[in-house]
Amino acid sequence: KLRTFEKTPSDDSQHIKKDQAEEAVSSNKEIILHKDEAVPSGEKMESTGNRQALEEDAHAMKTQDNRAHQNNLKQLCRICGVSFKTDCYKKTYPVHGPVDDETLRLLRKKEKTATSWPDLIAKVFKIDVRGDVDTIHPTQFCHNCWSIIHSKYSNTLCEVYFPRNSTMEWHPHSPNCDVCHTTRRGVKRKSQPPSAQRGKRVKTTGERAQLNRNVKNQAQINNKNLMKEIVNCKDIHLSTKLLAVDYPPDFIKSISCQICDHILADPVETTCRHLFCRTCILKCIRVMGSYCPSCWYPCFPTDLVTPVKSFLNILDNLSIRCPVKECDEEITHGKYGQHLSGHKEMKDRELHSYINKGGRPRQHLLSLTRRAQKHRLRELKRQVKAFAEKEEGGDIKAVCMTLFLLALRAKNEHKQADELEAIMQGRGSGLHPAVCLAIRINTFLSCSQYHKMYRTVKAVTGRQIFQPLHALRTAEKALLPGYHPFEWNPPLKNVSTNTEVGIIDGLSGLPLSIDDYPVDTIAKRFRYDAALVCALKDMEEEILEGMKAKNLDDYLNGPFTVVIKESCDGMGDVSEKHGSGPAVPEKAVRFSFTVMNISIAHGNESKRIFEEVKPNSELCCKPLCLMLADESDHETLTAILSPLIAEREAMKNSELLLEMGGILRTFRFVFRGTGYDEKLVREVEGLEASGSTYICTLCDATRLEASQNLVFHSITRSHAENLERYEIWRSNPYHESVDELRDRVKGVSAKPFIETVPSIDALHCDIGNATEFYRIFQMEIGELYKNPDVSKEERKRWQLTLDKHLRKKMNLKPMLKMSGNFARKLMSKETVEAVCELITSEERHEALKELMDLYLKMKPVWRSSCPAKECPELLCQYSYNSQRFAELLSTKFKYRYEGKITNYFHKTLAHVPEIIERDGSIGAWASEGNESGNKLFRRFRKMNARQSKVYEMEDVL
């Protein structure tokens, strides 16, 4: 076997597995020994030559038979067993090794990581070909099986040609081999000479086993010596004799290459878990074939992996002695290269220094002119050019940059090497424009401030780390609405089909004439459908991950149902800026939306694949329209928001077609206007102001009815009913008086133009109730229950006393208008304890504490995002607590609530359970996210936007 191996080292098909060859030799020996039993012992010496000849003949026959079998295997497909001699299957592909170019392009298009045929065959046909032996299995497969692999990844049907359960089973070669049965009948065997029949002493089983072991050991020794000659690495790899510590032999064996027996250099691990130096194993595979040199298991260059990091750490920390003469330093294996480079530098300086034989001293290369540099390096340049044309397709630049990179790495200058590598890969050392944009926004830098920082960093470092402003604006376009294409089915009514729509003027399309109401405002907005598409594309990963979490196929195209929370709020005290433009009021209005949840119909049920975890965060509250206007200005509000509402109404009756994850998917939208405070709800629904007799925006109760029946009311109002009542108010079909007509329409006095969901805004409910408790505290301090007739000056004195005490005890500074934070601090047991210090009556102490205790038990129910999970016990107790709270108001605090009640107390006591039963939550649908967005509006307008009326709204949006 070794002689044959040396003759044809490059032919993989000629390699016979060592164990099989040894078994064949031993079996032939046993046959010969059994046949020689009758030969007398005196003729032993005479039969020795005949026995060796017979063994050689048997071995030759076995080898010839195996070669014939292997030649037959070369004509068969490894997967389906079809013969390549048929015309339609002449094109073949190797079972092992990397895939062809066409398959590689398909895999990259489908974002698959497999790059070798064994991986693809295992995935498609469930066949593991890594353990194939070329004496048993064919090494090629046919074009039909190649087509089946392509159909798997191109989503086309190819089952008609070859079902997956029809793969071949291959068995070792035997006398009854189906592969070469026909060929075997035509082979003529040599007749054995009669001298082979002469007997000799039969060896025992132990002797035969010892003989087999000796033959095997001799073959292994010869094979290892041959592999050492192939790799020839004694001058480049470190011997284990250089180890500074006397390690155990087994440990030394574990850290040494199993080919060259040197310490592992750039170690790699095979699939059979053997360790080799990278250069050694690659040379052996190239010369000897694709097998592991230790166990002859099939092994290919693509199978080699780096060992685990802990093993590499052990290897790098080994102590070795420096092999250089006159250097007795002990160093770690990981730093050997750096240590050796120091020796090389000294040797180069000593031995290869230029000897100046007079004349001008030799100058350094970098100090020469460009012409002199070319002259000195002309020979090196010619050699590099020749190498590049031969090996790299003429890419001289890549060869030189790689040489420079390797030189930097060898000098341990990894920082410069990383920068050079980034330039070679086209990344550069600078930040991505989108990252620079995020830095600018999150640090609240204006354009001029960012530009100054950009110029300063570039001047100091000499590199363009930050990107210029025009690159930021280009990156910003991909993040804003109007970048992604989409389609509506059916097309939206009165809305353009153009999808490349960014920021537009809020007054665009508004017909103006001399007689019209003058619109003194500046407004900027996105188109509603483009903004929704941008929000969905931002959430693409969450949507696809949600489908995986629900075990849904990622190719489902919908329809997806998207629930949108709409919020709108006005803000005051917005200073006017300089520049040309209308004289706008110092107030602003912000309209925004939040994607609350997304679900998909699957079978007979709806599965929720996304739900906003923080629905009241400003990060998920997407701004849609910004205007410098007064929210009380009905005409301006309707003029700017009417186009938005028209787009919203059109989207209700249409489906969005949007590509997501490479598949065109369908989306439907459900809009719920819940993020409005009571003032704005009354404005957009056409109701009278908050001081109206009809105190509720959810039911028709008057203030008197609500004070007499504090708890038992139900939600009756709706947008459609308000529209009908407005028509009655406008036309007065029954010719009634003003009071009768007002009683009929229940407080509707204007045309509703935005549809809202009858609900409670949790944030403003909290603030309204805290304001009422603040008044109760003042009245209890002044003992109003004893003397109801007091002057304004007396009431003012009570308020000053309360403010001073709260500031001292609770660190609560008095505020002109109550904020959410002040309300949260005020509504606590500690505050009641502090207030009770100013009240003399113990009975009033108990009443006030019980009132606050009940309120604190009710508050989490409407403030939490999911009360059924967060506070189920308080949710169950809510009806009892609300009735007890109402009973206290009508008895202990009758002086305040006889014949009247505040709007938010009425909603808190009467409507909370019904809303939670309908929506599941009140806090999640609040306007708190929009209120947080108001802070961002002020901050961006002050710090980031251009200081002019024309561009400021566009920059802030």
Side-chain angles (χ1 to χ4, degrees), residues 370-609:
R370 188 171 300 175
R371 184 176 179 181
Q373 288 173 341
K374 287 182 180 179
H375 180 74
R376 187 180 290 184
L377 297 176
R378 64 188 184 278
E379 183 63 24
L380 177 62
K381 183 178 178 182
R382 187 185 62 77
Q383 293 176 4
V384 171
K385 185 177 180 181
F387 174 82
E389 288 176 351
K390 181 181 178 182
E391 301 289 343
E392 300 298 329
D395 193 352
I396 301 177
K397 180 183 175 183
V399 174
C400 293
M401 293 186 78
T402 306
L403 281 171
F404 185 31
L405 182 66
L406 293 174
L408 290 173
R409 297 282 189 205
K411 296 284 187 179
N412 215 21
E413 297 176 0
H414 295 293
K415 187 176 181 180
Q416 278 185 287
D418 290 340
E419 293 175 3
L420 177 62
E421 200 166 14
I423 294 172
M424 291 170 64
Q425 294 174 358
R427 292 185 284 111
S429 58
L431 297 172
H432 192 275
V435 177
C436 296
L437 178 64
I439 292 172
R440 190 204 141 208
I441 298 302
N442 288 325
T443 54
F444 294 100
L445 293 177
S446 64
C447 291
S448 58
Q449 289 170 331
Y450 174 82
H451 185 63
K452 289 176 185 176
M453 180 183 71
Y454 159 75
R455 286 190 308 173
T456 305
V457 172
K458 187 175 181 182
V460 171
T461 62
R463 291 176 295 172
Q464 186 170 302
I465 297 175
F466 292 99
Q467 303 303 317
L469 278 171
H470 67 84
L472 268 64
R473 293 194 180 101
T474 304
E476 193 175 31
K477 291 178 183 177
L479 304 172
L480 289 178
Y483 181 77
H484 303 285
F486 58 92
E487 187 181 348
W488 288 94
N489 184 29
L492 298 183
K493 185 178 179 182
N494 298 328
V495 179
S496 171
T497 56
N498 181 24
T499 61
E500 297 179 2
V501 183
I503 298 176
I504 58 179
D505 189 2
L507 295 171
S508 61
L510 184 68
L512 296 175
S513 65
I514 297 174
D515 299 328
D516 278 342
Y517 182 82
V519 181
D520 291 332
T521 182
I522 297 174
K524 297 291 179 181
R525 73 177 183 93
F526 298 117
R527 211 173 76 187
Y528 208 156
D529 57 341
L532 288 174
V533 167
C534 183
L536 289 176
K537 290 296 286 184
D538 287 344
M539 299 163 56
E540 182 173 358
E541 291 184 7
E542 287 95 329
I543 293 172
L544 298 178
E545 287 295 326
M547 294 178 69
K548 288 182 181 178
K550 295 293 183 180
N551 297 323
L552 298 174
D553 296 321
D554 55 2
Y555 57 79
L556 288 178
N557 60 355
F560 296 86
T561 303
V562 185
V563 181
I564 303 294
K565 175 177 78 171
E566 292 178 328
S567 305
C568 185
D569 188 32
M571 61 189 103
D573 193 25
V574 177
S575 59
E576 186 177 1
K577 298 211 176 169
H578 305 289
S580 60
V584 295
E586 294 186 349
K587 294 184 179 181
V589 178
R590 182 177 188 269
F591 189 95
S592 62
F593 70 90
T594 303
V595 179
M596 295 295 288
N597 58 70
I598 302 175
S599 56
I600 182 173
H602 184 67
N604 297 326
E605 60 177 340
S606 177
K607 292 194 175 183
R608 185 166 293 183
I609 59 175

Side-chain angles (χ1 to χ4, degrees), residues 104-114 123 153 661:
L104 187 62
R105 285 194 297 270
L106 177 63
L107 293 172
R108 286 178 177 172
K109 185 178 179 182
K110 296 296 181 180
E111 298 182 353
K112 302 297 182 182
T113 56
K123 288 181 180 178
Y153 291 99

Side-chain angles (χ1 to χ4, degrees), residues 631-642:
E631 61 179 323
S632 302
D633 187 351
H634 186 79
E635 288 75 15
T636 303
L637 205 62
T638 53
I640 295 174
L641 293 182
S642 290

Side-chain angles (χ1 to χ4, degrees), residues 653-669:
N653 304 316
S654 186
E655 291 184 344
L656 172 67
L657 302 178
L658 177 65
E659 184 176 328
M660 189 169 288
I663 299 175
L664 197 64
R665 306 181 195 265
T666 308
F667 294 87
R668 296 173 183 164
F669 294 93

